[in-house]
Every structure is written in C-alpha cells, then in structure tokens.
Amino acid sequence: MEYLLQDIADAIIPVSIVVVLPVMIVWLVTRCKTNRDNKNAEILMKAVENNTVQDVDKFLVGMPKPSKTMKEIMLNRLLIGCIFAFVGIPLMILGVVNAGLGDDFSSFCWIAGAVCAAIGLAYLVVYRVTRKMVEKEDNSSEN
C-alpha cells in the first residue's frame, strides 16, 4: 500500500505538467479572446442603440482588428508543420541506424522522431484543409 501511494504521489507532478498545464493555457487564451470579442460587440451594440454611430462600417474600421490575416496564419502553420516534419523524420532515421547498438538513444530517437513527425503531419493536414476552405469561400464569394 505504501508503494502504491508513493507511486501515485510521484506521478501527480508529471501528469499535472503534461496534461493540466497545456489545458489551462489553452483555456486562458481562449477566454481572453472571447472576452475581447464580447467587449467589442458590447461597445458596438451600445453605440448602435444610442444612435451615436451614423455609419457602422466606419465605426468598425476603428475597432481593433485581428493581429494576423488568414494567409499569415496559414503560412505559419505550413512553416511549423515543415519544421516538425523535417526534424522528426531524420530523428526516426537516426533511430533506425542506431537500432543495432541496443541502447536507449535509439529508442529516444524513435519516440522523439515519431512525436515530431506526427505534430508536423497534423499541422500540414490543418494547413491543407484550411487552404481548401479558403479557396472554396473565395470561389463562392466571387460568384
């Protein structure tokens, strides 16, 4: 029983760092963006209700804009995907080359390479899907 409690206590810190911390960071960033958007919408609604704004389009020009355009976001995803993929694939190759040595280095290379390649592949898939969606929206808006 003592060993079980000790194992649980030893596992709490790594699990909290690996699982809870990233979830909290994503939650906090999402919450901040949502609050900013809600405040902007509230300001716009009050301005429209009080008839202080004659032209809503001109008022919206003065509102804060997103920091990055969709094209910049897509190019950033492409860059991150390529970097992760081009780091992960050589690490996996290095793991194959060093597999005959039978040490922990080859298994580390395999694991790190697989994780990096998977992250890179995920970013590349998201880039491709987003690009297709943007092209479809552009084609539908032109018609």
Side-chain angles (χ1 to χ4, degrees):
M1 185 68 173
E2 259 180 53
Y3 296 116
L4 178 65
L5 292 176
Q6 182 65 32
D7 289 341
I8 291 173
D10 289 342
I12 287 176
I13 293 174
V15 167
S16 64
I17 290 173
V18 171
V19 176
V20 176
L21 187 62
V23 169
M24 292 302 292
I25 290 171
V26 169
W27 174 78
L28 184 63
V29 168
T30 306
R31 183 172 172 246
C32 289
K33 287 181 181 180
T34 304
N35 283 342
R36 184 188 68 224
D37 292 343
N38 288 343
K39 286 180 184 179
N40 289 342
E42 186 178 328
I43 290 170
L44 181 63
M45 292 296 290
K46 285 186 180 183
V48 169
E49 286 174 3
N50 294 333
N51 290 330
T52 57
V53 177
Q54 300 301 328
D55 190 9
V56 176
D57 292 332
K58 289 182 182 177
F59 182 74
L60 287 176
V61 170
M63 296 293 283
K65 297 177 184 173
S67 59
K68 292 183 179 181
T69 64
M70 183 55 102
K71 187 174 182 178
E72 290 173 337
I73 292 170
M74 286 175 47
L75 290 175
N76 192 27
R77 287 178 183 160
L78 178 63
L79 175 67
I80 292 171
C82 288
I83 289 172
F84 271 106
F86 290 139
V87 167
I89 292 170
L91 277 174
M92 290 191 319
I93 292 171
L94 187 64
V96 169
V97 170
N98 290 332
L101 299 176
D103 59 354
D104 290 337
F105 180 70
S106 62
S107 62
F108 169 76
C109 287
W110 260 107
I111 293 170
V115 168
C116 287
I119 291 171
L121 182 65
Y123 268 102
L124 292 174
V125 167
V126 169
Y127 166 75
R128 183 161 171 101
V129 169
T130 306
R131 189 184 75 189
K132 284 185 178 182
M133 284 180 22
V134 168
E135 287 174 356
K136 188 183 286 186
E137 287 177 5
D138 288 345
N139 290 339
S140 66
S141 65
E142 289 176 358
N143 293 332

